[in-house]
């Protein structure tokens, strides 16, 4: 599955009833709560990485990617725009890119 395919699934589920879809239920709480959930998943991902728990990290990374895409959806940002930004940055070193911010 690609990130674009997952984003399409999220868009479809966002249109469902919050009683039938976790995605719709999460989005119904508003973009602030969606972003808060993304932060929680990021912290859980870090914890599993620090513990060296490969299975836990894999699971939390999947949750993190999902919640990132829901956050992008809530803010009307498409993953292809994020991927385009990464592609743009690929033409320079990470150090040069950071210095340009």
């Amino acid at each position: 599955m690609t990130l674009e395919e997952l984003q399409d699934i999220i868009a479809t589920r966002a249109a469902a009833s919050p009683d039938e879809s976790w995605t719709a239920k999460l989005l119904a709480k508003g973009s602030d709560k969606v972003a808060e959930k993304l932060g929680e998943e990021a912290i859980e991902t870090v914890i599993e990485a620090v513990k060296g728990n490969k299975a836990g990290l894999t699971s939390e990374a999947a949750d993190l990617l999902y919640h990132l895409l829901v956050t992008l959806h809530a803010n009307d940002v498409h993953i292809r725009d994020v991927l385009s930004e990464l592609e743009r940055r690929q033409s320079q070193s990470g150090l040069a890119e950071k210095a340009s911010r």
Side-chain angles (χ1 to χ4, degrees):
M1 172 182 298
T2 68
L3 292 176
E4 286 192 358
E5 289 169 337
L6 181 54
Q7 190 168 53
D8 290 344
I9 291 168
I10 287 167
T12 299
R13 292 183 180 167
S17 165
D19 294 331
E20 299 172 2
S21 165
W22 165 250
T23 301
K25 187 174 186 168
L26 184 58
L27 288 164
K29 294 178 182 180
S31 61
D32 289 355
K33 287 294 182 184
V34 172
E36 183 180 309
K37 185 64 178 166
L38 174 64
E40 290 172 15
E41 295 301 336
I43 290 166
E44 291 169 4
T45 303
V46 169
I47 290 168
E48 294 304 323
V50 169
K51 289 180 358 185
N53 181 352
K54 187 174 181 178
L57 176 57
T58 301
S59 178
E60 292 301 337
D63 289 347
L64 181 60
L65 287 173
Y66 164 79
H67 285 91
L68 173 60
L69 290 173
V70 174
T71 301
L72 292 175
H73 179 88
N75 289 279
D76 199 29
V77 174
H78 198 280
I79 190 63
R80 89 176 136 258
D81 297 328
V82 175
L83 296 173
S84 292
E85 176 62 14
L86 287 171
E87 190 173 320
R88 183 192 68 76
R89 292 179 185 189
Q90 201 172 23
S91 65
Q92 59 184 324
S93 78
L95 295 175
E97 191 280 324
K98 285 221 179 262
S100 72
R101 287 194 218 174

